[in-house]
Amino acid sequence: MAVTILGTATDVRTGTSVVYTQMSIPEYLAIVGKEFEDFHLQRRRESHKAYERLKLDISEGALLPSITLAVKPENVSAILPVVECYRNDPSTAGQLAAVLNTPGSVDILDGLQRTYIMRDLSDDGQYFKEGQRILVEFWLESELHNLIYRIIVLNAGQKPMSIRHQLELLFASLQASIEKKIPNIEIYRERDATRRTRPRKFAFNIVVSAYQAMVTASPELQKHNIVANQLMESSALDMGESALSQQFDVFIETLKLYADLDTEAFRVYRAAPAADVEQGADVSASGDGEPLTPADQHNWLSSENVMASFFAALAQFSTNENRRQRANTALGALKNQLTNAAPGTDPLSLETFNRLRSGISPRKVNVGVATRRLITNGFKEYFRDAGETPLGECWNQAAE
């Protein structure tokens, strides 16, 4: 049986168009495609006993709660006119069903565990009951702000998931859009088995960490104190749509500038012989590693410690418009310093940073936490003086 269009609706809160459909399980599995597991970033596969019962129920033909899919942002503009045509003329339902029935053109917003179970049954050769149908909602939204609100805030009211998983879900949807907004940037995954052989190339998980650090205003992405971690996440989720949207815009604009800084730092520090860094390895010695070596310095800005600390510092410092302007002035000054620096020089004062970091005693403190605190406070000092104080002095001032 073909995909059946049941009707359409509009989410009044965001203006998002929604199409309600009904289809067979094999049709649904064909639409989400074999790569839907890439989207498991939002929530790991669960192994609760309840899912074993659900698997049995599905095999016996149980009717499931509706599943929610998000049409990938790059495909929305081509489908919306067909949706509008259907609203004006319901006899065109077949055309709408055809454009929605495109393998790999959607991401799963709600229903991942059910999809795993249906895929397992299909792979086991399960023949689903005749007439067994599932309800599927298609959300068509290309506006980044609305997707941020939908994914981060609305999903928080469902089965609890960490803010980390929510942000990974967000970036899995928006990666292509982000790469279009920032010239020549490349965001890669661990499974790509790629190497960072050029600037403006960042690991997916590190970009997510940078945004998480900005949202929570903390470089500590997972606090050991459970209560503190819950308070940090709650504070981020309480920001509201407007604040989240504005902050995301700031993040994208800052990431664009950060990529420019990375380009110049790569050129300046590349003079030192080095091996390429695999899969987003953290060259800043994130907790128990060796000190930063000259051979690693050209990749310093791409490390998780540095990116998370930088964006956390920006969020902590930019509490009002005046402070935000001073931070912008400082970033402009830093870009000029890097642009005018000759290869082999040290405009980021990484020699001073490395010396200070080497003085951290692992017997007294967690080296990773102390390193992130040093970087965060150093950048905050740099922002505070609008870039007039050299970074070397800022590292010294930030040292405890």
Side-chain angles (χ1 to χ4, degrees):
M1 298 175 66
V3 173
T4 301
I5 305 297
L6 301 179
T8 64
T10 300
D11 182 272
V12 178
R13 178 67 178 81
T14 61
T16 305
S17 290
V18 182
V19 179
Y20 298 103
T21 70
Q22 191 179 62
M23 64 189 70
S24 68
I25 292 177
E27 286 169 335
Y28 168 74
L29 293 175
I31 290 173
V32 296
K34 294 183 178 180
E35 301 301 320
F36 78 86
E37 288 183 283
D38 291 347
F39 217 57
H40 79 291
L41 291 169
Q42 66 161 313
R43 190 178 297 163
R44 307 294 179 183
R45 181 165 187 171
E46 303 287 352
S47 57
H48 298 311
K49 290 183 180 180
Y51 289 131
E52 289 299 320
R53 174 57 187 268
L54 180 58
K55 184 174 184 179
L56 178 61
D57 288 342
I58 293 175
S59 68
E60 294 180 349
L63 183 64
L64 299 177
S66 64
I67 291 174
T68 304
L69 304 179
V71 175
K72 292 182 177 179
E74 60 268 27
N75 299 326
V76 170
S77 61
I79 300 177
L80 281 177
V82 187
V83 175
E84 190 61 31
C85 182
Y86 165 79
R87 285 171 172 164
N88 295 326
D89 182 6
S91 68
T92 61
Q95 297 176 23
L96 179 55
V99 296
L100 292 176
N101 191 11
T102 303
S105 64
V106 295
D107 290 320
I108 302 171
L109 282 184
D110 183 48
L112 187 67
Q113 303 303 325
R114 281 164 278 168
T115 304
Y116 273 126
I117 294 170
M118 288 184 281
R119 173 63 71 191
D120 288 345
L121 288 168
S122 178
D123 290 343
D124 291 342
Q126 170 75 38
Y127 288 96
F128 298 102
K129 300 292 184 181
E130 183 178 355
Q132 186 176 6
R133 310 274 279 171
I134 57 175
L135 299 170
V136 181
E137 299 177 19
F138 289 83
W139 285 66
L140 294 102
E141 180 57 72
S142 58
E143 177 56 54
L144 302 188
H145 296 168
N146 292 336
L147 278 179
I148 293 169
Y149 186 77
R150 168 72 182 169
I151 294 172
I152 294 182
V153 179
L154 298 186
N155 276 3
Q158 299 179 14
K159 181 179 177 180
M161 66 174 89
S162 71
I163 193 171
R164 177 69 184 196
H165 283 174
Q166 293 176 52
L167 295 179
E168 287 176 336
L169 168 61
L170 170 66
F171 276 83
S173 290
L174 304 184
Q175 179 176 337
S177 298
I178 293 170
E179 289 177 333
K180 287 181 181 180
K181 286 178 173 287
I182 304 177
N184 300 319
I185 197 173
E186 179 183 348
I187 300 173
Y188 64 94
R189 310 289 188 96
E190 285 187 13
R191 67 170 182 271
D192 296 337
T194 186
R195 294 174 179 268
R196 182 179 147 90
T197 55
R198 66 172 182 83
R200 310 177 78 85
K201 186 174 180 180
F202 303 98
F204 174 87
N205 65 299
I206 294 179
V207 174
V208 175
S209 293
Y211 183 53
Q212 181 179 351
M214 173 172 273
V215 169
T216 60
S218 172
E220 301 309 316
L221 307 178
Q222 186 66 43
K223 291 183 179 292
H224 294 295
N225 185 306
I226 296 176
V227 175
N229 194 65
Q230 290 175 339
L231 289 172
M232 182 177 69
E233 294 192 359
S234 176
S235 175
L237 293 174
D238 286 342
M239 291 175 62
E241 179 187 8
S242 178
L244 281 169
S245 298
Q246 183 178 15
Q247 191 173 60
F248 188 79
D249 287 340
V250 171
F251 175 77
I252 293 299
E253 288 304 311
T254 307
L255 182 60
K256 186 183 300 183
L257 174 60
Y258 195 90
D260 293 339
L261 298 177
D262 181 56
T263 297
E264 297 303 328
F266 196 95
R267 173 187 63 82
V268 173
Y269 289 97
R270 184 64 169 173
D276 295 323
V277 176
E278 273 192 84
Q279 298 183 356
D282 195 344
V283 298
S284 64
S286 61
D288 56 1
E290 296 299 320
L292 179 68
T293 66
D296 294 326
Q297 290 176 349
H298 66 292
N299 287 309
W300 189 68
L301 286 175
S302 69
S303 71
E304 184 169 24
N305 266 350
V306 177
M307 288 193 74
S309 299
F310 173 90
F311 282 94
L314 188 65
Q316 290 178 17
F317 182 79
S318 304
T319 55
N320 57 50
E321 185 60 29
N322 179 53
R323 281 173 163 254
R324 177 62 188 163
Q325 289 301 320
R326 283 156 65 187
N328 286 338
T329 301
L331 292 174
L334 183 58
K335 182 177 179 180
N336 288 336
Q337 291 171 19
L338 283 166
T339 301
N340 296 324
T345 58
D346 188 18
L348 296 175
S349 297
L350 295 186
E351 181 179 350
T352 299
F353 167 82
N354 199 34
R355 174 174 52 80
L356 293 170
R357 187 196 172 281
S358 298
I360 299 173
S361 173
R363 295 182 179 181
K364 297 181 179 180
V365 297
N366 180 296
V367 177
V369 172
T371 298
R372 290 185 287 276
R373 185 177 296 120
L374 172 62
I375 300 170
T376 301
N377 291 338
F379 277 122
K380 284 170 68 176
E381 291 295 331
Y382 190 72
F383 298 153
R384 183 171 289 109
D385 287 346
E388 294 184 5
T389 300
L391 263 176
E393 293 184 29
C394 292
W395 300 138
N396 278 316
Q397 293 172 17
E400 298 181 351

